[in-house]
Amino acid sequence: MQLKKSPQRFLSKSRIIKGLQCPKALYYSVHKPELAEPHSPDTLERFRQGDEVGAAAREHYGKGVLIEAAPYEVEKAVELTQGAIKAGAKRIYEAGFLHNGVQVRVDILERDGKGWHLKEVKSSNKVKDTHIDDLAIQTYVATGAGITLKSTSIVHLNNECKAPDLSNLFEEAPIVDELSALQEELPNTIKSLRAIIAGDAVPKVKIGPHCDAPYECDYKKHCFKAAKFPTEESTVFNLYYFPKKTAWALYEKGVWKPTDPAVSKHKLKLQAERQIKAEKTGTRFVDSKSIQQDLKKWDFPLTVLDFETIGFAIPKFKGMGPNEQAPFQFVTAQVNKRGAISNIVDVLATEPGDPRPQIIDGLLKAIPETGSVAACFAGFERGRLLELAEFSPKHAKKIKQIADRLVDPQELIRDHVYDAAFMGSFSLKYIAPALLGDRFDYDKIAIKNGTDAQMQYLRLCRGEVSGKEREQVIANLKEYCELDVIATAGLVAWLLKQ
């Protein structure tokens, strides 16, 4: 007999985590799933890479019994797992257990004498608090189902691993003491969560910090709209470096505008004080003297540089570690002392394989050996340049010289400029339209941010597009990265005129 899907019959680990974050989100996930925002392409990509990590872990740990049952086939997973245990299996993958109405699937269960070692596999490079919550639920259910656990651990990716040698891809972190308190609370937690699911009324939960922690909620957009949250206006939540906890406390009191006198009673960063003044007066703050003093340290003509990068949980390119970023595109432009912009160069790796050799070759041709190299959020470009230098020793000296010449127009603007249109952010996506005009509105182009660019690059590499569609993806990538560079070059020219 074929088992039917029964999403409401049992609580899962993910639903418990969701309910702990917000009871309303748990209720919606069962009764109003259509209210959730659809998963973004980058979220789906994380799921995909998470599956790859799980498969790699099974290969790493070796021979074992894989419990092949769909997530909704709870009884089947439990039955197959018990069968594997009785048959003397030394290692079980995706073992299914059910206890107190909660079902879990354990990534790895290894026999250890008369007991077992439970391992939860994660695609991050370190243990996070949310991982311990996951492990606590797994442990509670497994032990409740009669499994004697001698040890538990989080298996995460190892920073020391470097492709192509993936023999040390995983690292185990034993977790013991942290689980006790969480497990003691679980019976009451499960009881209350089950009551929420069985209820007829939506739990009364106001929007708050829990909407973003530990994860951004799938129902955030719906709840914020229902609460009439002012998403299109400047609020205490985008006040520069203002603590979110304090912002929510003010919001609860009906204070949401940065210009409210109650806000100024709190300790503020200098930029936040400028933000409040700009929003009150409608005037832009510019410290021209300090700008010109800082610009004297820059060497012109300079080169503007912007990278687009891609990373994989399981490293694919020589010398790279888990989740490290490799540049697959760069754009440069020249800016002279008068602010004139010229000589735009765009190099995009469009074929499968390691993009770094092509990037290094193009980079050394495009960037002169003299003059400053400007990048917004230059620390990111510096990190990638130093990684490229490590990858290619024969080019290391020249690449490091580029890194040594980096300057950051974003820092000058953060320190010496404020416009109300910044909305508390010094991201290029905010400061460029505010200072240079609507031409630099990223909402008007197909690729709107670096994450979008990564997803489109993956489509190229995986051969998911061809013909005119492939040409359009390439054109969109060039348009996006070039806009970043032209915007940065425009900001340099703007600073020179102050």
Side-chain angles (χ1 to χ4, degrees), residues 117-395:
H117 183 177
L118 186 152
K119 302 178 181 182
E120 175 79 353
V121 180
K122 299 297 181 183
S123 57
S124 64
N125 291 34
K126 63 180 181 179
V127 176
K128 301 178 181 179
D129 290 343
T130 53
H131 298 166
I132 296 174
D133 292 342
D134 287 350
L135 189 62
I137 297 168
Q138 302 268 36
T139 302
Y140 168 79
V141 174
T143 55
I147 299 298
T148 300
L149 292 180
K150 298 181 72 174
S151 56
T152 55
S153 61
I154 299 293
V155 177
H156 61 86
L157 299 174
N158 179 11
N159 284 320
E160 300 301 317
C161 175
K162 302 296 179 185
D165 179 8
L166 302 181
S167 60
N168 63 336
L169 178 61
F170 295 101
E171 182 176 354
E172 288 190 27
I175 307 291
V176 180
D177 298 337
E178 300 94 328
L179 300 180
S180 299
L182 292 168
Q183 288 175 313
E184 289 175 5
E185 298 170 2
L186 274 173
N188 288 332
T189 298
I190 292 166
K191 183 178 179 180
S192 63
L193 295 181
R194 193 176 288 116
I196 289 168
I197 290 175
D200 295 326
V202 179
K204 294 181 179 180
V205 182
K206 294 181 179 179
I207 60 174
H210 56 276
C211 297
D212 291 292
Y215 307 104
E216 183 175 0
C217 180
D218 297 335
Y219 303 93
K220 178 180 174 180
K221 187 173 181 179
H222 167 78
C223 292
F224 273 48
K225 183 178 180 180
K228 298 181 180 179
F229 187 85
T231 56
E232 301 300 321
E233 301 178 55
S234 177
T235 70
V236 289
F237 297 95
N238 51 37
L239 187 60
Y240 184 79
Y241 261 76
F242 195 61
K244 286 291 186 287
K245 184 177 180 180
T246 306
W248 278 114
L250 287 170
Y251 180 79
E252 283 291 311
K253 296 176 182 178
V255 176
W256 58 271
K257 288 187 176 183
T259 53
D260 192 296
V263 175
S264 297
K265 294 178 181 178
H266 296 270
K267 186 176 181 180
L268 301 172
K269 294 281 187 180
L270 175 62
Q271 288 84 355
E273 292 176 351
R274 290 173 180 168
Q275 179 180 352
I276 291 171
K277 185 176 181 180
E279 292 186 13
K280 282 181 177 179
T281 63
T283 58
R284 177 184 291 170
F285 170 83
V286 180
D287 183 351
S288 299
K289 183 177 179 181
S290 295
I291 290 173
Q292 294 307 317
Q293 286 177 342
D294 283 350
L295 285 175
K296 288 178 182 178
K297 303 171 188 175
W298 295 12
D299 294 324
F300 288 87
L302 60 70
T303 303
V304 175
L305 169 66
D306 183 68
F307 282 131
E308 299 304 327
T309 63
I310 191 69
F312 301 96
I314 301 176
K316 300 183 183 298
F317 308 135
K318 181 180 178 182
M320 293 192 67
N323 295 305
E324 286 184 2
Q325 299 288 313
F328 63 82
Q329 181 182 14
F330 77 84
V331 176
T332 59
Q334 307 298 314
V335 182
N336 66 22
K337 187 69 174 179
R338 298 185 302 277
I341 303 168
S342 63
N343 196 25
I344 296 173
V345 176
D346 190 331
V347 174
L348 169 64
T350 60
E351 301 300 327
D354 192 342
R356 293 173 297 171
Q358 182 180 349
I359 295 299
I360 290 172
D361 181 63
L363 199 65
L364 295 180
K365 291 176 181 177
I367 299 180
E369 295 184 359
T370 59
S372 296
V373 179
C376 279
F377 195 59
F380 180 80
E381 266 68 24
R382 179 176 288 106
R384 304 297 76 74
L385 285 166
L386 294 178
E387 288 163 358
L388 288 175
E390 184 177 356
F391 165 69
S392 181
K394 69 178 181 179
H395 299 114

Side-chain angles (χ1 to χ4, degrees), residues 430-475:
Y430 281 89
I431 61 178
L435 299 179
L436 305 176
D438 289 343
R439 177 191 174 193
F440 298 96
D441 182 353
Y442 285 75
D443 286 336
K444 295 179 179 180
I445 61 177
I447 294 177
K448 306 182 189 311
N449 54 57
T451 301
D452 287 351
Q454 291 176 332
M455 296 305 102
Q456 294 305 309
Y457 173 69
L458 288 176
R459 295 179 71 203
L460 286 180
C461 291
R462 291 170 177 164
E464 295 174 0
V465 289
S466 59
K468 290 185 178 180
E469 187 179 8
R470 186 174 190 275
E471 293 175 4
Q472 188 60 58
V473 168
I474 291 172

